[in-house]
Amino acid sequence: MSEQILVIDDDADLVRFVRMSLEREGYEVASALEGADGLRLALEQPPDLILLDVLLPDVDGLEVLGRLRVNPGTTSVPVVLLTARTDARDRVRGLDLGADDYITKPFDIEELLARVGAVLRRSKAMRDLSPLTALPGNFRIAEELHRRVAGGRPMAVIHTDLDNFKAFNDHYGFMRGDTVIKFTANVLVAAARDTADASCFVGHVGGDDFVAVMHPDSVEQFCKTVIDRFDDGILDFYDPADALRGYVEVIDRRGERHAFPIVSISLGVATNLRRTFSSEWEASAVAAEMKEHAKGEAGSCYKVDRRAR
């Protein structure tokens, strides 16, 4: 599906020229000659990018930008300002209000196309990063798995999540829970960096779920390193009394008190050494199955699928 661009500018000839140039590059383009119409179009169907003139006849372009940024549907839509103003203070104000880039009129169309492409690439990359851990998200994880499965080379997929994490969250609150998620991400990234596989990949599915992909030769070292570092650091996130007891108490909806052990980490590993994966979905499903086996053990644990099919 083509990326959609909205051009808001009162110069009809410029809009026509920009529209033709963008459409030749494969973009779908909508346009408006007034700020109010452009804002309405953006809110009705948020585009992938907006080219916004600063000097509009009805509404100041920076006011349009401000209204785009406070609306939930357009708050993250990238905006490139088109401006004839040469005062640096005007450009700085636009960037402070949330513009992603600006280009000064008159402009070279090749420069405009290059800036549009760069902003779209950057926006796409940022959308697929976890805001909590800054690790690649689901789209990039699926891409990476697809690429490696299609390549047919030896690979290992590791699905990781935490045990007793919900109880920790309920006991201490989500803000301390977020620090444990960040700690887990750091442990995984550091363990990946220490493997012999320079192409090792780590992604954040969401919540306390992570995925790593690497060469099978590195996977056992990776899992052992992750468990050692996680278990060595997790107690730092507990209050001293809870750490000494080795559990936290959580009261359920019935008012009953339950004890939950210290958070541990479980890793499930799937490799193509003894089987061939038909898709990235199969590879991730086998890793998830092995992770469930690991969660059946007390404490931090990893399980490797060694079945031949």
Side-chain angles (χ1 to χ4, degrees):
M1 185 176 178
S2 300
E3 290 166 304
Q4 299 177 332
I5 297 176
L6 173 61
V7 182
I8 307 174
D9 196 297
D10 65 330
D11 186 333
D13 291 335
L14 182 143
V15 168
R16 192 178 306 111
F17 176 59
V18 169
R19 181 174 195 143
M20 290 174 56
S21 300
L22 290 168
E23 289 177 340
R24 277 200 301 267
E25 295 296 313
Y27 299 111
E28 292 183 15
V29 184
S31 61
L33 298 176
E34 294 187 345
D37 287 341
L39 184 61
R40 176 181 55 79
L41 288 173
L43 298 180
E44 287 177 356
Q45 187 173 355
D48 295 298
L49 181 141
I50 297 172
L51 292 173
L52 175 62
D53 186 19
V54 172
L55 297 174
L56 293 167
D58 58 334
V59 184
D60 184 79
L62 296 182
E63 182 181 339
V64 173
L65 173 61
R67 292 168 69 179
L68 289 168
R69 286 296 173 250
V70 298
N71 186 281
T74 55
T75 186
S76 60
V77 173
V79 175
V80 177
L81 295 178
L82 307 176
T83 176
R85 295 174 176 172
T86 57
D87 192 330
R89 288 173 296 182
D90 291 324
R91 297 195 294 271
V92 168
R93 184 178 170 220
L95 294 171
D96 285 344
L97 285 172
D100 296 86
D101 201 354
Y102 68 88
I103 186 166
T104 305
K105 296 179 180 179
F107 51 77
D108 181 87
I109 192 62
E110 294 301 324
E111 181 184 359
L112 177 67
L113 294 173
R115 287 179 182 267
V116 164
V119 170
L120 284 170
R121 287 192 298 273
R122 188 163 61 243
S123 173
K124 180 181 177 182
M126 291 302 295
R127 281 198 305 271
D128 196 49
L129 290 181
S130 162
L132 181 60
T133 63
L135 289 175
N138 289 342
F139 181 78
R140 275 285 291 113
I141 292 169
E143 240 183 12
E144 186 70 19
L145 288 175
H146 175 77
R147 184 180 67 83
R148 299 215 189 191
V149 168
R153 295 181 179 178
M155 62 176 287
V157 182
I158 305 97
H159 191 161
T160 300
D161 83 350
L162 303 181
D163 314 309
N164 305 309
F165 179 68
K166 184 180 183 305
F168 180 96
N169 238 12
D170 291 344
H171 183 75
Y172 289 117
F174 74 91
M175 292 191 70
R176 200 184 298 194
D178 282 352
T179 65
V180 171
I181 297 296
K182 292 177 184 177
F183 163 69
T184 305
N186 292 337
V187 166
L188 292 167
V189 169
R193 191 168 53 240
D194 289 348
T195 69
D197 183 3
S199 66
C200 190
F201 170 91
V202 178
H204 186 186
V205 177
D208 60 332
D209 282 83
F210 296 83
V211 167
V213 191
M214 64 191 66
H215 193 281
D217 290 349
S218 299
V219 75
E220 299 231 23
Q221 176 202 339
F222 171 81
C223 291
K224 291 174 182 176
T225 301
V226 166
I227 288 173
D228 288 346
R229 291 180 178 173
F230 185 89
D231 288 349
D232 187 53
I234 188 61
L235 287 178
D236 293 342
F237 300 93
Y238 283 79
D239 289 349
D242 293 332
L244 285 171
R245 274 200 309 263
Y247 63 88
V248 295
E249 291 185 334
V250 177
I251 300 174
D252 66 17
R253 293 177 182 177
R254 298 178 180 178
E256 297 176 352
R257 192 180 299 272
H258 300 272
F260 290 88
I262 299 299
V263 173
S264 54
I265 190 165
S266 293
L267 305 96
V269 181
T271 80
N272 61 357
L273 292 180
R274 299 187 180 186
R275 64 160 73 201
T276 300
F277 295 127
S278 60
S279 68
E280 61 269 32
W281 314 115
E282 182 184 7
S284 63
V286 174
E289 178 189 359
M290 299 312 298
K291 182 222 16 170
E292 290 305 315
H293 284 297
K295 290 178 77 68
E297 302 285 337
S300 296
C301 179
Y302 73 94
K303 295 289 185 181
V304 180
D305 178 41
R306 304 187 191 279
R307 295 169 295 182
R309 190 181 63 181

